[in-house]
Amino acid sequence: MTKLNELSPSPGSTKNRMRVGRGPGSGKGKTAGRGVKGQKARSGVAINGFEGGQMPLHMRMPKRGFKNPNAKTFAEVNLWRIEQAIAAGKLDASRPIDAKVLIAAGVVRRAWDGVKLLGKGELTTKLDITVYAATATARAAVEAAGGTLTATRPVAVEAEA
């Protein structure tokens, strides 16, 4: 068995770093690969997007719309996908189903801000499912199959005027 002090990378998999500015014989002497003079030849320069005083492209382009910084991202699951997982034996329909169970079964990769149930496909199995949100068709399909659907999405409280 290999010992920790005997570990080393495979031959040829690593290279020594280039030491710049160490004389003309090194191939990277004098200007150290930076060209000649000017602001970019100096250290500590960060001029991304700078166009020499001209209005930068990202500022010339028209701005449209709004990006909500508080927007939530959901893992969306259709009914047919859950039915498929039950048929494959990955989900047990007799036990409660929530985001952790769906991730463990491989139905969704990650829950993000919550799981949203969509109504595409047929549902014939009785389920007890807990999700963040569900569409009206998904809710109707789960209840039609004799199951229960619990949505954990907080109800918005209307401000009194």
Side-chain angles (χ1 to χ4, degrees), residues 108-122:
V108 292
R109 188 172 291 172
R110 60 186 71 80
W112 299 111
D113 293 317
V115 175
K116 185 169 183 177
L117 188 62
L118 307 179
K120 198 171 193 179
E122 294 283 321

Side-chain angles (χ1 to χ4, degrees), residues 43-120:
S43 66
V45 176
I47 50 175
N48 275 352
F50 182 68
E51 298 183 20
Q54 172 177 289
M55 185 62 67
L57 182 66
H58 66 91
M59 293 172 73
R60 280 177 295 186
M61 290 289 122
K63 308 295 184 282
R64 296 274 299 162
F66 169 72
K67 178 78 171 164
N68 184 1
N70 302 317
K72 293 192 182 301
T73 307
F74 298 112
E76 297 173 342
V77 184
N78 275 300
L79 294 172
W80 68 265
R81 186 70 184 89
I82 291 178
E83 190 69 39
Q84 187 183 52
I86 291 168
K90 293 180 179 179
L91 277 178
D92 184 7
S94 62
R95 306 180 89 186
I97 296 172
D98 62 353
K100 288 182 181 175
V101 174
L102 291 173
I103 291 167
V107 176
V108 292
R109 188 172 291 172
R110 60 186 71 80
W112 299 111
D113 293 317
V115 175
K116 185 169 183 177
L117 188 62
L118 307 179
K120 198 171 193 179

